[in-house]
Amino acid sequence: MNIKQVILQAFRDHPGEFISGEDLSQTCGCSRTAVWKHIEELRKDGYEVEAVRKSGYRLIVAPDRLSAAEIMAGLHTARIGQNVFAHDEVVSTQPLAHEAAAKGAPEGTLVLAEQQTGGRGRLGRPWHSPKGTGIWMSLIVRPAIPIPKTPQMTLLTAVTIARTIREETGVPVKIKWPNDIFCGDKKVCGVLTELNAESDRVNYLVIGIGLNANSVQSDFPEELSEIATSLRIESGDEVKRVDFIQQFCRNFEEEYDHFLQHGFQRVKQEWEKHSYSIGRWVSVQTISQMFEGRAVGLDDEGVLMVEDRAGIMHKVYSADVNYRANE
Ligand code: BTX
């Protein structure tokens, strides 16, 4: 951690309290003048810090800005979120994460932005990512798993986001196969997993997460107004995005470590428990065929099982799934 991060960590550990310049200089291992300079830098970054002679410094307001320092202060993980690239405006965080991964960025690296001008979903679809309203981020992981198992990482991510939403906001959400999180019948979050592999070895995955956190209705363009929602619209409360990201990192690391050691079973159970898809009538369009049936669950590998009218069970690995009125 750099000095700014250590100071932010100290403020987080003592909310609303004064911390003396002497204590801060000892914690940071630098002079009191250096502490003062870093406090000035924090002020330039939008932090309101009160300074009182003999009492020290106290944090009054932190800006709602996604900075590396904020995210890393107080983040108790071993890998996930321990390296953060935070941008103001980018075309998309996905190519930046690919570039960083190709240059050797460690597992757990997060690339995030306040705004994306060309955010993307699956199959080249656009992802609307206006300034300051959401969490637009890409996570680099390097799991030692066979390539056919990599779609399980999308399901693991969806399970982790759904859990974090419940913990941080209490909003009830469901997971729609394979990559969406829904509140009621509206999308609040999408996951885009991109793989870089060589012969039969995974080099890395870039997991893109687009979460509408604090969007209000007027932030959505007309074509999304009926199909998209945000956590703030659903709960009425503003989401503290830094807290959310930190909790996501902790949850992800815990679930991911369990997955690497013990396999997919726990993710499968939690996915099925919070599934939007199971029991629904769906039409499935794969590269080679189109059919309708009822989604009945996941198999042990995370493949969606769909039973058609004739009672034939289909395994859906990769497809566009549309939801029909239940028969
Ligand atoms: P998807 O292909 O499942 O969903 C894309 C579709 O979702 C769009 O065609 C549109 O109908 C709808 N949509 C677009 N924007 C929004 C929005 N903000 N809220 C709700 N619905 C929307 C889902 O793809 C995967 C999205 C991943 C986005 C992240 S953000 C960080 C990273 N960078 C990047 O460019 N993509 C990922």
Side-chain angles (χ1 to χ4, degrees):
M1 282 203 282
N2 62 31
I3 293 179
K4 259 202 244 178
Q5 284 160 8
V6 176
I7 295 173
L8 284 175
Q9 170 81 65
F11 284 143
R12 274 186 175 255
D13 291 344
H14 301 91
E17 290 173 30
F18 279 102
I19 310 174
S20 73
E22 185 56 39
D23 283 353
L24 279 177
S25 82
Q26 273 180 17
T27 316
C28 297
C30 65
S31 68
R32 289 175 63 164
T33 315
V35 167
W36 175 79
K37 277 189 187 148
H38 284 95
I39 297 273
E40 282 306 301
E41 276 184 31
L42 285 173
R43 284 180 170 143
K44 280 188 204 135
D45 291 343
Y47 293 84
E48 202 181 311
V49 181
E50 187 181 7
V52 173
R53 228 161 61 84
K54 296 216 170 105
S55 301
Y57 300 101
R58 177 165 71 153
L59 179 63
I60 307 289
V61 181
D64 177 36
R65 188 174 308 145
L66 301 180
S67 68
E70 272 285 331
I71 290 167
M72 289 161 72
L75 176 70
H76 302 294
T77 59
R79 325 192 286 300
I80 306 299
Q82 288 298 336
N83 187 32
V84 176
F85 298 103
H87 301 276
D88 221 29
E89 181 186 310
V90 299
V91 175
S92 159
T93 54
Q94 291 291 102
L96 296 177
H98 279 279
E99 253 171 60
K103 285 186 191 151
E107 168 157 278
T109 296
L110 272 182
V111 180
L112 43 87
E114 289 288 357
Q115 177 177 14
Q116 297 185 117
T117 53
R120 60 188 199 218
R122 289 182 310 147
L123 309 168
R125 290 188 285 241
W127 186 260
H128 181 63
S129 325
K131 193 177 176 71
T133 60
I135 295 176
W136 325 125
M137 66 181 181
S138 301
L139 169 65
I140 299 169
V141 285
R142 301 177 180 278
I145 55 174
I147 292 169
K149 286 192 190 290
T150 52
Q152 296 175 358
M153 290 297 296
T154 303
L155 305 180
L156 184 152
T157 305
V159 158
T160 308
I161 293 169
R163 186 187 309 158
T164 310
I165 290 175
R166 284 193 300 277
E167 288 171 356
E168 290 290 305
T169 69
V171 170
V173 286
K174 297 268 184 202
I175 309 166
K176 186 175 148 204
W177 193 87
N179 67 329
D180 290 330
I181 310 283
F182 266 50
C183 289
D185 286 323
K186 291 184 172 180
K187 182 152 44 173
V188 71
C189 177
V191 178
L192 171 69
T193 305
E194 293 176 333
L195 167 69
N196 183 292
E198 252 170 79
S199 56
D200 58 352
R201 201 176 129 256
V202 174
N203 288 331
Y204 61 82
L205 294 172
V206 170
I207 304 176
I209 296 163
L211 172 70
N212 303 322
N214 289 325
S215 341
V216 292
Q217 200 59 49
S218 58
D219 289 322
F220 293 118
E222 174 125 22
E223 68 273 18
L224 294 181
S225 66
E226 295 295 315
I227 58 171
T229 188
S230 77
L231 295 177
R232 179 168 168 191
I233 291 171
E234 296 299 319
S235 72
D237 293 327
E238 192 150 326
V239 175
K240 292 204 171 84
R241 293 181 300 163
V242 170
D243 292 356
F244 188 100
I245 292 170
Q246 291 182 332
Q247 186 63 9
F248 167 78
C249 290
R250 286 188 281 268
N251 285 340
F252 187 95
E253 186 164 286
E254 204 262 320
E255 198 62 52
Y256 179 48
D257 283 345
H258 190 278
F259 167 74
L260 293 176
Q261 278 172 26
H262 305 288
F264 181 63
Q265 200 56 27
R266 190 168 94 174
V267 173
K268 170 179 147 67
Q269 277 167 8
E270 190 157 342
W271 194 94
E272 288 184 333
K273 193 165 148 203
H274 298 289
S275 167
Y276 174 92
S277 309
I278 292 176
R280 284 185 193 253
W281 195 258
V282 292
S283 80
V284 179
Q285 174 76 65
T286 69
I287 294 174
S288 55
Q289 61 171 160
M290 152 108 184
F291 60 91
E292 292 198 357
R294 191 173 305 284
V296 292
L298 298 179
D299 77 357
D300 285 344
E301 297 298 317
V303 175
L304 186 68
M305 310 290 288
V306 177
E307 186 176 9
D308 70 17
R309 267 195 202 89
I312 297 169
M313 201 63 86
H314 299 258
K315 288 189 168 197
V316 181
Y317 291 88
S318 164
D320 238 16
V321 174
N322 287 306
Y323 291 77
R324 301 258 169 267
N326 266 355
E327 294 222 333

